[in-house]
Amino acid sequence: MDPVYEPVSRSDKSDVFTSYRPVRQTSSNLASHVTPSTQTPRRSRGSRVVLHWLSHILSLLWIVPISTLLWLNFSKHVIGASAWCPRGNCNAEGNSDNAIKRAQKLDSHDHNVTGALQFVAKALEVWFFFVATSLVYDMGIMFAKRGRGLPVGYLLSHLEFGDIRYILNPLLWTSPLPREQGVPEKPARIIKLYLFAIITAMLTILANLMGPSTAVLVLPTLQWIDTPRIMHETFNRTAASQRPAGEYSFPDCSAQELQEGNYSCTAETYGPSLDAWAAQHSASYKQLSAYDDGTIILGASQEAALVFSINGSATYDTVWVPSRQVLRDMSHEFQKLRGVYTEDDPPEYPDQVFNNSLQTILQRQGPSLGFYASPYRGNVSDYDLPDGRWVRCFTGWNTDPLNLADDKAVEYNKCFRLGQGYQDRDTYASFHLGHFNETYDENSTQSGVGVFVADRAAYYNKEEDFGSGLIDCLITNNPNGDGEACNWDKVFAAELPEEFRNRSINVGVTSYSVPGKNFTNARVWCEHLIYQSFPTYSVDTSPRSNTQNLVKLNNLPEIPKDTIPLRMNPAWILAAWSVDYDGELDRERQIVKELSRVLPTTYEDGIITLEGLEFVLLHWYALGQALSMVNHYSSGPPGDPASESAKIADQDPSHPILRTYATIHVWAYGLSGRTSRLGVAVVVLGIACVLARFLIGLSTGIQERSTVEVLAAAFEHRHEGEFDGLEEENHLAKVRYQVVEDGEGKQRFIPEKRTSRWSNAITP
């Protein structure tokens, strides 16, 4: 039978204190330990069971709004132009005269809704605190009912864990240890108690993160969302290597005119486009000359309802030009989005998708041609060979024409092989610029423009010819200057260094003779390499933010050094200039005026001058005009995007499936950032906590007691010496109690050393 202690008072000069002495144990005073007083405040067993299951139901219901938030974010649910968009109808009216007033009203709705959702996030946080508190309590009671009980330092963990400072409390980490050194303790018991401490600490962190995590998920954000991508065509090939053909390329040209090479037919539509580029350049040049902070801004050109400019890539090397064919197709859809369409030709997207967005970017994948162009100045030499072959050589070539490097590049002569004897395609075309300078007399030369494409090139100077033999045959053994001593097959078969190799295949050249009496063989010449890519064409459809309907090219690639350039037929250059084979341009055209002005100075003073850089830009415009005109051929897209054939076709980089879609600026849910993903992780752990608490409740039947009941049980407990000799807080916290219920369901605290003795009197 357990001993019972009665108080004994003792006094001396310094203190009055109470000690305890054992008294004879009787059935009546045992009952005072075990049988609850009728005056003890406690709930009835029936009401406690009801509250127990209501608590679990309330905990499980927390999963419902959290699961809804997860679904909204994982599905990237789009709300619309406003965070408050009942029934999906919140038209921004971006194209109307009422757009600004409507935007202000939507903005007011956004502030109200996001503010209200902050309260929702706080409610979910408080709700989870209820769940987490119950879980800590249930785990504490579960540990306290088993083994040697729970340390005093953990008895109120469910009331303390909500404060983030709790994880720094030393009692949390020292309470599982034995009270006295040398006292045997099973490691498994210590590990279990540390498991409780670690779980409680994790719940402390989780509960404190739940507020911002639910706020991240409950609050929608303004996002750029891509609509479903519609496959509109499969690219087959470009028409760059052939002559312009078909009325689709040029609306004012007949098939016969194009076949006969009368490309002046493009002057009606595209002659002003090239001249407009030159005029814009002239205006920008005047601004540069007039102001210290002035600069030259690249000009733009129009195609149908859209405007474009040449685009530089991530490096300065390749300049990309939009395709006018793609722009025409895109313009058609652009106009339909603006409301210009018929019932027989509706937009590919429902109007509601765009009306319920703050801004819409129309996107279309399509081919684009880019050029790497290098300007030089020098003299020209031609060598006629048998069988319709000939070779043209220029002086002044080097690997750094704009002198971008610190060291001056070594100059070479560069030779190109031409003629039907070398190539089975058109390789050469020419025309003349009309006289601009009226001081030239009748015997002065015009500026002739020669355009050709060569499949191979060779290099030499006085010291190096890379094994081609050009030094011997053109310098040492060429008394007549006719190049007959050269083995030209060997010349163009010679192996070149890597930095020369990719600039020696399918090279296009445009050479400008310098107007004047004394420049017979003088040339300012530019070589170009043509590449193809499939960027995304983008145009902002808002008339407020994109007043000029300017199209941009996105996702421009870097061209690998070993990429073989495309061949471009010189006829496209003629079409860009709107001139026939061997024709002459009107001297009143703006492009003729500007080139005639800068060519003599460029040749005499060099490329690295203001006029030289002007020449480069003017040449870019002419070349860009030509590349923009090149059409392409395509076929319809695969019928089923998910079919195996469509997947295989989509992996062919030379014949890609081209898609059109839109990017809309809307209020939406989503997991676009790290904070969103962290929020998902936190609430998923929260769901796990809810389920863990429910499973603990099912397996143990633990019923949560109120704070009053816990305090009453603590006050009713009779001290039996378990705290004797303990003064430090960390020692007191290590005293363990088993928490059990007596026969009438009243909670009891049993000291660690008496646990086994109460087994006959206590119902676990």
Side-chain angles (χ1 to χ4, degrees):
M1 186 173 292
D2 297 326
V4 177
Y5 298 83
E6 65 179 4
V8 177
S9 298
R10 187 178 67 180
S11 62
D12 57 19
K13 295 181 180 180
S14 61
D15 197 2
V16 176
F17 61 94
T18 301
S19 64
Y20 294 84
R21 67 183 179 186
V23 298
R24 183 174 176 271
Q25 187 72 291
T26 65
S27 60
S28 61
N29 55 36
L30 174 62
S32 67
H33 284 277
V34 179
T35 305
S37 170
T38 57
Q39 302 301 318
T40 301
R42 58 187 176 88
R43 301 189 185 99
S44 66
R45 186 180 296 274
S47 63
R48 188 179 293 118
V49 171
V50 172
L51 291 175
H52 169 73
W53 287 109
L54 285 177
S55 172
H56 279 293
I57 292 172
L58 186 61
S59 297
L60 291 172
L61 286 176
W62 184 82
I63 297 178
V64 176
I66 294 301
S67 299
T68 303
L69 290 178
L70 290 175
W71 174 79
L72 289 173
N73 283 276
F74 275 105
S75 64
K76 298 181 179 179
H77 177 70
V78 175
I79 302 173
S82 172
W84 174 250
C85 199
R87 297 182 298 278
N89 184 18
C90 47
N91 196 329
E93 301 176 5
N95 294 333
S96 69
D97 297 334
N98 197 37
I100 296 179
K101 186 176 181 180
R102 178 63 176 169
Q104 292 173 341
K105 184 177 180 180
L106 293 179
D107 185 62
S108 176
H109 290 332
D110 297 339
H111 283 287
N112 292 333
V113 171
T114 53
L117 290 177
Q118 293 277 8
F119 289 98
V120 174
K122 186 62 180 179
L124 290 172
E125 178 190 13
V126 173
W127 195 346
F128 179 77
F129 257 95
F130 163 77
V131 175
T133 300
S134 300
L135 177 59
V136 175
Y137 178 86
D138 290 351
M139 288 193 305
I141 297 300
M142 183 177 67
F143 277 93
K145 280 188 173 184
R146 299 176 180 178
R148 297 175 60 188
L150 195 70
V152 171
Y154 290 168
L155 288 177
L156 297 180
S157 294
H158 64 291
L159 300 179
E160 298 178 297
F161 86 101
D163 188 345
I164 191 66
R165 294 174 296 178
Y166 182 64
I167 61 177
L168 302 178
N169 188 346
L171 299 182
L172 179 65
W173 308 108
T174 60
S175 294
L177 300 174
R179 281 187 291 172
E180 300 177 7
Q181 294 183 357
V183 176
E185 180 76 34
K186 292 183 178 181
R189 292 178 179 176
I190 297 178
I191 292 174
K192 289 180 180 179
L193 291 176
Y194 268 116
L195 178 62
F196 174 81
I198 292 172
I199 294 176
T200 304
M202 292 176 62
L203 284 171
T204 298
I205 297 173
L206 190 64
N208 282 275
L209 288 178
M210 190 58 66
S213 297
T214 53
V216 167
L217 297 180
V218 80
L219 290 172
T221 56
L222 272 174
Q223 301 179 33
W224 289 99
I225 303 293
D226 289 344
T227 61
R229 304 193 176 201
I230 300 174
M231 298 187 298
H232 63 88
E233 62 180 338
T234 300
F235 178 85
N236 290 339
R237 63 183 178 87
T238 179
S241 62
Q242 66 188 54
R243 288 189 176 193
E247 297 179 359
Y248 186 75
S249 300
F250 308 109
D252 299 319
C253 297
S254 65
Q256 183 177 357
E257 287 177 311
L258 295 177
Q259 185 177 1
E260 294 175 353
N262 297 325
Y263 300 115
S264 58
C265 62
T266 66
E268 184 68 23
T269 302
Y270 293 110
S273 295
L274 183 57
D275 288 335
W277 254 328
Q280 292 174 65
H281 166 79
S282 176
S284 187
Y285 168 74
K286 297 299 183 183
Q287 292 289 319
L288 175 66
S289 303
Y291 301 106
D292 294 337
D293 56 351
T295 186
I296 293 180
I297 298 177
L298 294 178
S301 184
Q302 181 176 347
E303 184 66 24
L306 301 177
V307 174
F308 71 95
S309 181
I310 54 180
N311 285 41
S313 66
T315 63
Y316 92 100
D317 291 339
T318 307
V319 178
W320 295 97
V321 184
S323 164
R324 291 184 183 270
Q325 180 179 347
V326 176
L327 292 175
R328 285 192 291 271
D329 294 339
M330 195 173 188
S331 174
H332 186 58
E333 190 64 27
F334 175 82
Q335 288 292 75
K336 288 192 290 184
L337 289 179
R338 288 282 185 89
V340 184
Y341 63 90
T342 63
E343 295 182 358
D344 297 332
D345 187 23
E348 296 184 33
Y349 299 97
D351 287 345
Q352 187 177 8
V353 173
F354 302 106
N355 291 333
N356 284 350
S357 65
L358 293 171
Q359 195 172 2
T360 299
I361 308 295
L362 187 61
Q363 313 262 29
R364 191 181 189 93
Q365 294 173 329
S368 170
L369 296 179
F371 62 86
Y372 170 78
S374 302
Y376 307 97
R377 60 171 181 156
N379 294 322
V380 62
S381 300
D382 290 340
Y383 303 97
D384 293 326
L385 308 177
D387 303 323
R389 300 177 301 163
W390 56 290
V391 173
R392 171 164 287 186
C393 297
F394 292 95
T395 63
W397 187 92
N398 63 73
T399 56
D400 188 19
L402 296 180
N403 197 27
L404 298 176
D406 294 334
D407 299 330
K408 186 172 179 59
V410 178
E411 285 197 357
Y412 293 86
N413 300 326
K414 188 167 185 176
C415 298
F416 305 90
R417 66 181 191 181
L418 303 168
Q420 294 292 334
Y422 278 124
Q423 304 173 81
D424 58 355
R425 308 177 189 178
D426 297 331
T427 59
Y428 186 83
S430 64
F431 61 94
H432 291 83
L433 304 180
H435 280 301
F436 170 68
N437 192 332
E438 296 181 356
T439 60
Y440 291 161
D441 59 33
E442 295 180 356
N443 296 322
S444 64
T445 60
Q446 297 174 269
S447 177
V449 182
V451 184
F452 63 83
V453 58
D455 64 340
R456 290 290 186 274
Y459 307 82
Y460 75 98
N461 57 24
K462 293 181 179 180
E463 289 80 26
E464 181 62 74
D465 62 7
F466 307 110
S468 66
L470 283 173
I471 293 178
D472 291 336
C473 69
L474 289 184
I475 299 178
T476 306
N477 301 317
N478 189 30
N480 298 325
D482 54 10
E484 289 185 358
C486 293
N487 182 347
W488 292 106
D489 291 335
K490 175 185 175 183
V491 166
F492 291 105
E495 186 70 20
L496 296 172
E498 183 179 355
E499 63 268 26
F500 290 77
R501 196 176 305 143
N502 68 323
R503 301 175 67 173
S504 306
I505 301 175
N506 295 338
V507 185
V509 174
T510 304
S511 65
Y512 301 85
S513 62
V514 181
K517 299 178 181 179
N518 303 319
F519 301 120
T520 305
N521 295 323
R523 297 291 186 274
V524 177
W525 59 286
C526 294
E527 66 175 12
H528 56 261
L529 305 175
I530 307 299
Y531 300 100
Q532 181 173 260
S533 67
F534 298 91
T536 301
Y537 292 66
S538 302
V539 58
D540 183 356
T541 61
S542 172
R544 289 180 295 154
S545 55
N546 187 14
T547 57
Q548 291 187 325
N549 300 344
L550 182 65
V551 175
K552 299 178 181 179
L553 295 183
N554 298 321
N555 304 320
L556 294 169
E558 295 289 341
I559 300 299
K561 291 184 177 180
D562 58 350
T563 303
I564 297 177
L566 298 177
R567 290 176 56 89
M568 188 174 76
N569 194 297
W572 290 104
I573 304 292
L574 300 185
W577 287 84
S578 302
V579 64
D580 301 334
Y581 273 99
D582 296 322
E584 181 176 327
L585 286 171
D586 187 345
R587 75 176 193 178
E588 294 300 324
R589 287 191 55 178
Q590 189 68 33
I591 186 67
V592 176
K593 293 179 181 180
E594 296 300 324
L595 277 174
S596 298
R597 176 175 61 84
V598 300
L599 274 172
T601 307
T602 300
Y603 179 78
E604 291 179 333
D605 298 339
I607 302 297
I608 313 302
T609 60
L610 182 57
E611 286 77 10
L613 296 178
E614 282 192 86
F615 163 77
V616 171
L617 287 178
L618 290 169
H619 175 72
W620 276 16
Y621 290 138
L623 187 57
Q625 173 89 321
L627 267 61
S628 73
M629 291 177 167
V630 176
N631 62 300
H632 65 274
Y633 300 97
S634 60
S635 57
D640 182 8
S643 65
E644 193 64 28
S645 59
K647 294 179 181 179
I648 295 175
D650 218 11
Q651 296 175 357
D652 184 357
S654 60
H655 301 90
I657 298 175
L658 305 177
R659 294 170 170 82
T660 181
Y661 60 100
T663 302
I664 54 178
H665 199 204
V666 290
W667 285 90
Y669 290 95
L671 304 175
S672 57
R674 296 178 180 176
T675 54
S676 299
R677 291 189 285 272
L678 175 62
V680 169
V682 170
V683 299
V684 168
L685 290 174
I687 293 175
C689 291
V690 173
L691 298 177
R693 194 218 164 194
F694 181 70
L695 293 175
I696 291 174
L698 285 179
S699 61
T700 64
I702 295 173
Q703 299 174 8
E704 189 172 348
R705 303 303 183 102
S706 68
T707 305
V708 173
E709 290 180 289
V710 174
L711 289 175
F715 290 148
E716 286 183 342
H717 172 69
R718 292 190 177 186
H719 174 256
E720 298 176 4
E722 57 267 27
F723 291 104
D724 288 350
L726 304 179
E727 298 180 359
E728 299 293 334
E729 182 184 28
N730 62 330
H731 293 157
L732 295 172
K734 295 176 181 178
V735 176
R736 299 183 189 178
Y737 282 91
Q738 189 179 44
V739 180
V740 297
E741 293 181 359
D742 61 18
E744 295 189 11
K746 183 178 179 180
Q747 197 173 62
R748 289 284 186 171
F749 293 98
I750 303 175
E752 173 184 4
K753 65 181 180 179
R754 299 190 56 215
T755 298
S756 61
R757 301 177 184 178
W758 280 69
S759 59
N760 295 327
I762 302 299
T763 302

